[in-house]
Amino acid sequence: MSVVQTAEPAILSFTDSAADKVRSLISEEANDNLKLRVFVTGGGCSGFQYGFSFDEDIQEDDTVIKNKGASLLVDSLSYQYLVGAKVDYLEGLEGARFVVDNPMAATTCGCGASFSI
């Protein structure tokens, strides 16, 4: 007898470091309605590129990931390219920035802002 197993794909992860930075930026803006939005667009040196913006509105097709009182929004089109990815905030020699660690990316550019699947 064979057993069929199903598994939910890993949702996006939103690190504590990224959530802390979002909360800090929201506090500076004095607007508790802001949420960080991550999205994927065409372009960049590898085919697709990541983008980040702050948004007050949650759209009908958005996935919302919450951590430490901060919210990360992902539209349904971008979500398919980000399943299993980790959104983090890093400070280092290349500056301070939000980054995406995407296990679905077959190739990425040197700066990590664009990718291909």
Side-chain angles (χ1 to χ4, degrees), residues 17-18 88-92 94-99:
S17 176
D88 200 2
Y89 180 77
L90 300 176
E91 294 181 9
E94 297 173 358
R97 67 195 194 285
F98 289 101
V99 296

Side-chain angles (χ1 to χ4, degrees), residues 19-39:
D20 288 341
K21 186 60 179 180
V22 168
R23 285 188 11 244
S24 170
L25 292 169
I26 288 170
S27 176
E28 288 176 19
E29 291 296 317
N31 182 350
D32 291 339
N33 294 321
L34 291 174
K35 297 142 189 70
L36 180 67
R37 179 175 294 281
V38 61
F39 54 91

Side-chain angles (χ1 to χ4, degrees), residues 12 37-44 46-53 62 73-83 85 87 100 102 104-105 112-117:
L12 222 72
R37 179 175 294 281
V38 61
F39 54 91
V40 173
T41 59
S46 295
F48 295 104
Q49 64 186 46
Y50 303 112
F52 292 95
S53 65
D62 282 342
L73 306 177
V74 186
D75 64 90
S76 61
L77 182 62
S78 297
Y79 184 85
Q80 65 185 327
Y81 298 107
L82 295 169
V83 171
V87 174
V100 178
N102 189 345
M104 291 178 43
S114 70
F115 68 101
S116 67
I117 293 180

Side-chain angles (χ1 to χ4, degrees), residues 56-77:
E56 291 184 344
D57 300 319
I58 299 173
Q59 302 302 314
E60 187 176 304
D61 70 336
D62 282 342
T63 297
V64 181
I65 298 106
K66 294 184 180 220
N67 185 11
K68 299 179 82 175
S71 296
L72 178 70
L73 306 177
V74 186
D75 64 90
S76 61
L77 182 62

